[in-house]
Amino acid sequence: MLLTGVADVRFSARNQLVGKVVSLKAGTVNSEVGIQLSGGTVVYAVITNEAVAELGIKQGVAATALIKASHIVLGVPI
């Protein structure tokens, strides 16, 4: 999930990655949004084109990626 424009909101999602939108690739139905975090890492979210318009997402906009711990998949080498 992505959040823009609101600073004083509490969420049950403990993983809140704050950054700035650095890329936006629109598809037919969904868009891929790249958010650069303060350390330089870029995380990506796929959201609907409608959500991009509603949230006013464009390059340079501050955004937060919200990730519930139960939605994280870990992998280890075998």
Side-chain angles (χ1 to χ4, degrees):
M1 287 191 287
L2 295 182
L3 169 71
T4 60
V6 180
D8 295 326
V9 179
R10 291 188 209 174
F11 292 94
S12 61
R14 298 288 182 235
N15 301 296
Q16 300 178 22
L17 308 175
V18 179
K20 190 178 291 186
V21 176
V22 292
S23 67
L24 181 60
K25 289 184 188 176
T28 305
V29 176
N30 294 320
S31 291
E32 178 185 270
V33 182
I35 299 173
Q36 186 170 29
L37 309 180
S38 62
T41 300
V42 179
V43 295
Y44 294 89
V46 175
I47 62 173
T48 65
N49 294 333
E50 184 178 351
V52 168
E54 287 176 0
L55 293 171
I57 293 177
K58 57 187 170 190
Q59 285 193 358
V61 169
T64 303
L66 303 171
I67 308 165
K68 299 252 333 151
S70 59
H71 292 125
I72 296 173
V73 177
L74 299 178
V76 296
I78 52 172

